[in-house]
């Protein structure tokens, strides 16, 4: 396949950046999108040009680093996959492909297609964990968990923190990500203990990082490579309301970071 | 104040106000449809008189205006934050499968608000300032709201503005009811598909119901002599 690529090039976080057009020939339809990018970079290096910087690690859809906004969709024109799992056969010979970094105030561009997703780490640090005391290994079956809850929690835990939800959302909202994190703990007895504190802290941090607000538009759900559903955002809202309204006097963890 | 609340709190307030406005629209539409009864406006005028004189309804009016103001303020604050959350736009506009109306809530909302002011000026303030004719049924005097409505909707430009306005309202409402419930945390894989259908039905019923009034008046009614 012969393709025209329009790629966002930006030398560093403080420079302005622009689109640069590249022609690339003889790409196998069976290759993955990242392999195509590798071929482009090899040709650039051979010519003595700076290769295109992009994040990648596992190349099997589990690390979530391969963030690319391809022709108007995070991770390109396929559903339920990351960029590394995207095949070139999804494109036609002669196509023009526009490749951009995630765009969000909370995800500043570091270089070319690489964005800084520290904002997600900050949200997780705020409450995306369970506190476990050290001691003997607990019996795995000591706490019974309904199968439905276990499965819903596993579905939510499939989140790989890639940021496609933020990238796709017209408001750059991180509610699907936070909803998945809150849900995977809130559904399990071990996570219930800190559930109310967690949801308030994570939402407060999400607001502080400058993500937008959910308008229930559903682009996140449509683009999530792990098919995480809006049900998780509703659960986040429920958990948040229960925590705020149900808190005893003086025990409220303050939420909200303003604009 | 609106700035201090967390994102979710703002959405919940906005949703409650919006759902209240939907409830109001049903009452408003039902009363308005009475104007189509061909009895020289008697039923409608009596109903309208009840609406402006009943103390409970007058009291509820505070909540109605409050609901509008809260919904609009929250909507604008949330929208400004949302625009600020993406300072640099994409070259290729995000294409993802979603409801087209959900992308334009602020735009339909602002247009609804603009015409709403015009609407209040046309009817609400005319009645409030006593700038209106009176009729007598069985010895009691009533404001002739029906006549006011007839005069307005016999004019083509006026009728067209209202039809466009109501279509915009319909687009807003298509993403309103189910979105409001989702914001409150109601989402269930068994019921949510039905909630989406109900949301669309609400949008269609309210839009068609309201639009019937100017259309029927324009084509089928004569001014009373
Ligand atoms: C009778 C008129 C109106 C009704 C019945 C109505 C109803 C609703 C409802 C139920 C929602 C969903 C709330 C949610 O998702 O939490 C909504 C969203 C919205 N409304 Fe209205 N609304 C009306 C007028 C307006 C006006 C005048 C504005 C002007 C700014 C406006 C702006 C918005 C915006 C921006 C949203 C989306 C906000 C979001 O999802 O975060 N609406 N509306
Ligand atoms: S490189 Fe790990 S998910 Fe794509």
């Amino acid at each position: 396949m012969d393709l025209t690529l329009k790629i966002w090039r930006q030398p560093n976080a403080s420079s302005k950046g622009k689109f640069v057009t590249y022609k690339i020939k003889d790409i196998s339809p069976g290759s993955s999108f990242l392999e195509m990018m590798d071929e482009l970079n090899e040709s650039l290096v051979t010519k003595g040009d700076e290769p295109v910087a992009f994040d990648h690690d596992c190349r099997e859809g589990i690390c979530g680093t391969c963030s690319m906004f391809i022709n108007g969709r995070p991770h390109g024109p396929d559903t339920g996959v990351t960029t590394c799992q995207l095949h070139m056969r999804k494109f036609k010979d002669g196509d023009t492909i526009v490749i951009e970094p995630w765009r969000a105030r909370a995800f500043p561009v570091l270089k070319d297609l690489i964005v800084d997703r520290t904002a997600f780490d900050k949200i997780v640090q705020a409450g995306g964990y369970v506190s476990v005391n050290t001691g003997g290994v607990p019996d795995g079956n000591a706490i019974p968990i309904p199968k439905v809850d276990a499965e819903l929690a596993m579905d939510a835990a499939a989140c790989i923190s890639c940021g496609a939800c933020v990238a796709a959302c017209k408001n750059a909202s991180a509610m699907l990500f936070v909803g998945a994190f809150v849900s995977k703990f809130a559904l399990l007895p071990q996570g219930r203990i800190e559930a109310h504190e967690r949801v308030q802290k994570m939402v407060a941090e999400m607001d502080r990082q400058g993500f937008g607000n959910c308008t229930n538009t559903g682009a996140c759900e449509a683009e999530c490579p792990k098919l995480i559903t809006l049900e998780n955002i509703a659960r986040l809202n429920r958990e948040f309301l229960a925590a705020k309204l149900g808190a005893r006097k003086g025990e409220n963890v303050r939420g909200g970071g303003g604009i | 104040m609106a700035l201090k609340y967390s994102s979710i709190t703002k959405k919940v307030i906005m949703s409650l106000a919006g759902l209240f406005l939907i409830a109001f629209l049903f009452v408003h539409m039902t009363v308005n449809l009475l104007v189509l009864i061909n009895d020289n406006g008697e039923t409608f005028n009596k109903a309208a008189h009840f609406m402006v004189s009943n103390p409970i309804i007058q009291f509820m009016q505070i909540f109605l205006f409050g609901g509008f103001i809260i919904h609009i303020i929250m909507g604008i604050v949330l929208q400004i934050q949302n625009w600020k959350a993406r300072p640099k736009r994409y070259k290729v506009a995000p294409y993802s499968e979603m409801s087209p109306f959900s992308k334009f809530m602020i735009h339909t909302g602002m247009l609804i608000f603009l015409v709403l002011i015009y609407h209040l000026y046309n009817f609400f303030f005319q009645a409030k300032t006593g700038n209106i004719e009176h009729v007598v049924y069985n010895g009691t005097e009533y404001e002739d709201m029906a006549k006011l409505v007839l005069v307005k909707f016999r004019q083509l430009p006026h009728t067209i503005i209202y039809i466009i306005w109501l279509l915009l309202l319909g687009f807003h409402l298509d993403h309103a009811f189910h979105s409001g419930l989702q914001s409150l945390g109601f989402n269930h894989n068994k019921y949510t598909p039905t909630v989406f259908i109900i949301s669309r039905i609400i949008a269609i019923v309210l839009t068609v119901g309201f639009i019937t009034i100017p259309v029927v008046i324009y084509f089928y009614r004569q001014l009373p002599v």
Side-chain angles (χ1 to χ4, degrees):
Chain A
M1 307 166 78
D2 294 350
L3 300 161
T4 306
L5 307 172
K6 288 198 160 85
I7 303 180
W8 181 257
R9 301 301 310 260
Q10 183 174 334
N12 55 54
S14 51
S15 49
K16 258 194 78 176
K18 60 174 194 301
F19 281 95
V20 178
T21 307
Y22 301 97
K23 298 265 181 205
I24 185 161
K25 286 191 189 316
D26 296 331
I27 294 294
S28 151
S31 63
S32 83
F33 200 84
L34 294 192
E35 283 165 345
M36 183 276 291
M37 293 297 289
D38 291 339
E39 285 193 35
L40 170 73
N41 276 347
E42 245 169 72
S43 72
L44 290 178
V45 171
T46 323
K47 278 193 285 179
D49 287 346
E50 178 82 10
V52 179
F54 62 91
D55 258 333
H56 60 100
D57 187 12
C58 71
R59 299 210 174 199
E60 55 178 6
I62 51 169
C63 75
T65 51
C66 52
S67 52
M68 283 185 204
F69 198 83
I70 304 161
N71 283 351
R73 292 183 69 179
H75 299 137
D78 201 354
T79 312
V81 298
T82 51
T83 308
C84 56
Q85 295 171 302
L86 177 66
H87 282 93
M88 290 313 294
R89 60 171 170 266
K90 289 280 162 187
F91 299 91
K92 288 194 304 291
D93 188 34
D95 271 1
T96 298
I97 308 177
V98 182
I99 311 172
E100 306 175 62
W102 286 175
R103 294 282 185 206
R105 177 158 68 123
F107 289 163
V109 175
L110 292 177
K111 183 175 183 179
D112 297 342
L113 302 173
I114 300 181
V115 296
D116 181 357
R117 277 169 287 191
T118 307
F120 268 10
D121 299 339
K122 289 273 193 279
I123 297 175
V124 174
Q125 279 164 12
Y129 52 81
V130 282
S131 308
V132 181
N133 290 328
T134 51
V137 180
D139 178 351
N141 293 320
I143 308 171
I145 298 169
K147 182 159 189 302
V148 191
D149 292 350
E151 300 220 324
L152 286 174
M154 266 316 274
D155 289 349
C159 173
I160 52 175
S161 308
C162 63
C165 44
V166 177
C169 175
K170 75 178 180 62
N171 313 316
S173 166
M175 293 266 286
L176 193 68
F177 167 74
V178 178
F181 260 81
V182 162
S183 290
K184 73 180 175 192
F185 294 120
L187 284 159
L188 300 177
Q190 294 89 339
R192 283 291 350 150
I193 300 158
E194 292 157 296
H196 284 182
E197 201 182 322
R198 172 183 310 113
V199 67
Q200 296 184 71
K201 286 183 172 170
M202 289 186 83
V203 169
E205 189 60 36
M206 168 181 87
D207 291 349
R208 205 170 295 133
Q209 292 294 334
F211 290 103
N213 308 287
C214 176
T215 48
N216 308 323
T217 303
C220 53
E221 180 184 62
E223 294 301 345
C224 175
K226 298 299 157 185
L227 306 174
I228 291 171
T229 61
L230 288 185
E231 221 181 322
N232 292 287
I233 298 185
R235 191 177 295 104
L236 169 69
N237 294 341
R238 283 204 296 279
E239 287 288 329
F240 186 81
L241 278 179
K244 284 280 182 207
L245 297 177
R248 288 177 58 82
K249 229 174 153 178
E251 277 184 2
N252 217 350
V253 179
R254 296 294 299 170
I259 284 197
Chain B
M1 186 184 77
L3 298 180
K4 211 185 74 196
Y5 290 137
S6 73
S7 49
I8 297 182
T9 309
K10 281 189 285 241
K11 283 289 313 200
V12 166
I13 295 173
M14 166 135 207
S15 151
L16 291 173
L19 293 175
F20 175 73
L21 293 181
I22 293 181
F24 153 75
L25 286 180
F26 273 102
V27 178
H28 193 38
M29 178 186 74
T30 312
V31 174
N32 284 9
L33 281 171
L34 298 178
V35 80
L36 295 181
I37 299 176
N38 226 343
D39 61 353
N40 234 339
E42 179 167 348
T43 315
F44 177 69
N45 281 336
K46 284 183 172 167
H49 183 75
F50 173 77
M51 296 303 278
V52 296
S53 56
N54 184 290
I56 297 176
I57 292 179
Q58 286 302 297
F59 179 66
M60 286 306 285
Q61 227 171 49
I62 303 172
F63 289 93
L64 178 59
F65 281 104
F68 264 108
I69 292 169
I70 289 173
H71 187 75
I72 292 170
I73 291 179
M74 286 297 173
I76 292 175
V77 169
L78 286 167
Q79 188 60 54
I80 290 174
Q81 291 181 327
N82 292 348
W83 280 325
K84 281 173 68 177
R86 173 160 299 134
K88 179 137 181 73
R89 314 201 133 256
Y90 290 106
K91 182 181 171 77
V92 181
Y95 155 81
S96 304
E97 273 174 60
M98 50 178 141
S99 141
F101 301 129
S102 68
K103 290 196 230 172
F104 301 111
M105 292 302 275
I106 188 69
H107 313 92
T108 50
M110 291 308 285
L111 289 168
I112 292 170
F113 178 61
L114 285 182
V115 185
L116 178 65
I117 296 170
Y118 174 70
H119 173 64
L120 288 176
Y121 166 78
N122 269 335
F123 295 110
F124 187 76
F125 290 118
Q126 299 301 329
K128 280 278 168 200
T129 53
N131 193 0
I132 188 167
E133 292 177 33
H134 285 76
V135 281
V136 176
Y137 303 116
N138 307 330
T140 319
E141 204 175 272
Y142 294 91
E143 300 91 349
D144 199 353
M145 286 298 282
K147 174 106 180 268
L148 188 64
V149 175
L150 282 186
V151 171
K152 293 283 178 194
F153 290 136
R154 291 292 305 158
Q155 302 158 12
L156 187 60
H158 200 86
T159 307
I160 290 175
I161 291 177
Y162 267 77
I163 291 175
I164 294 173
W165 182 43
L166 292 165
L167 287 174
L168 289 170
L169 177 69
F171 298 155
H172 196 82
L173 288 174
D174 188 65
H175 184 68
F177 183 66
H178 72 83
S179 175
L181 289 193
Q182 166 82 9
S183 296
L184 296 178
F186 296 104
N187 183 316
H188 190 288
N189 68 351
K190 197 156 69 179
Y191 307 112
T192 296
T194 317
V195 168
F196 269 79
I197 297 171
I198 294 176
S199 199
R200 181 143 298 170
I201 292 176
I202 290 177
I204 293 174
V205 167
L206 283 172
T207 313
V208 171
F210 275 116
I211 285 186
T212 311
I213 299 165
V215 169
V216 169
I217 290 180
Y218 186 76
F219 287 106
Y220 300 108
R221 291 282 188 276
Q222 255 74 57
L223 277 186
V225 271

